Amino acid sequence: MDSDVDLQVLMARYQQGDSAAATALVKRLSPQLHRFFLMQFVSRRHADDLLQETWLRIHEVRHTYRPSQPVLPWLYAIARNIRVDHYRKAHRAEGREERLAESSEIPESPPDRSAGTPDVEALLATLPETQREVIVMLKVSGMSLEEVARATSSTVGSVKQKAHRAYEKLRKGLSGWGKPGVRSEGLHEG
């Protein structure tokens, strides 16, 4: 995990026009931002596009970053807004497109899953978008409660509540899996 102080130094240097600092930020943070977009159930192609759009927006608004403030909440707030904008655009476009008759659709074959292995993506898909987003930021990106609260423009209490509800739903999903040996110990709050 990147030290936030290191990220703050890189961001301050980037604001001052240091292209090496910009390159270092992109290399260090792109993998976790890409995971953030993929975990929101966006296709790899869309995740790539959203990542690129996020870095373009960061470049445009880098002057709004306040030195000595944590970088990740600022960065994830931008990424989150990009994702929401993308969703809204796609939703509007989908409404304008003609839909194919359902009878002409080819049914998709179910993915080949190992017996006894829970489908984590399917479990995450059962969560409301706001809960899934909080879980991804906390557990995949390793952000603190305070950082997630800043990134989502909410309170720490609200983040805790969303995380708690998400954990409960995930635990129920795992307990309903019905296979011996599958436990939900890894889904503790923390």
Side-chain angles (χ1 to χ4, degrees):
M1 179 50 72
D2 291 307
S3 157
D4 199 57
V5 173
D6 292 342
L7 294 176
Q8 290 173 20
V9 168
L10 284 173
M11 190 63 207
R13 286 179 35 211
Y14 176 34
Q15 283 182 308
Q16 297 164 0
D18 184 339
S19 63
T23 300
L25 281 169
V26 170
K27 284 183 179 177
R28 288 171 70 177
L29 297 174
S30 286
Q32 72 187 72
L33 281 172
H34 197 257
R35 278 192 306 275
F36 170 74
F37 291 127
L38 284 174
M39 294 300 287
Q40 297 296 324
F41 302 102
V42 175
S43 72
R44 181 166 296 282
R45 181 178 62 83
H46 284 114
D48 293 346
D49 292 345
L50 292 173
L51 179 63
Q52 183 176 10
E53 191 174 332
T54 298
W55 283 113
L56 288 171
R57 179 84 48 88
I58 287 167
H59 183 71
E60 291 170 357
V61 301
R62 67 189 180 280
H63 66 278
T64 65
Y65 170 74
R66 290 181 297 208
S68 80
Q69 292 294 310
V71 174
L72 290 178
W74 179 81
L75 187 103
Y76 272 88
I78 293 168
R80 181 176 186 257
N81 289 335
I82 294 288
R83 184 183 51 78
V84 169
D85 290 348
H86 171 78
Y87 173 78
R88 286 180 183 150
K89 261 190 250 175
H91 190 66
R92 283 192 305 264
E94 183 179 290
R96 291 187 299 259
E97 293 177 357
E98 287 185 17
R99 300 193 187 273
L100 294 173
E102 287 192 31
S103 61
S104 67
E105 289 183 14
I106 300 171
E108 190 176 315
S109 60
D112 185 25
R113 301 267 180 226
S114 301
T117 304
D119 183 352
V120 176
E121 287 184 5
L123 285 172
L124 287 173
T126 65
L127 297 176
E129 183 179 334
T130 58
Q131 290 177 10
R132 185 171 58 241
E133 179 178 65
V134 164
I135 294 300
V136 169
M137 287 183 186
L138 287 170
K139 298 303 179 185
V140 176
S141 299
M143 295 170 67
S144 70
L145 289 168
E146 293 78 13
E147 290 172 329
V148 174
R150 273 192 224 127
T152 58
S153 301
S154 59
T155 64
V156 170
S158 175
V159 170
K160 285 181 178 179
Q161 183 180 46
K162 288 174 187 171
H164 177 74
R165 288 179 178 163
Y167 295 137
E168 288 301 312
K169 190 160 189 170
L170 290 171
R171 281 187 193 104
K172 286 179 186 172
L174 282 174
S175 68
W177 195 255
K179 304 280 185 207
V182 174
R183 302 182 310 190
S184 60
E185 291 172 13
L187 296 174
H188 65 283
E189 295 175 51

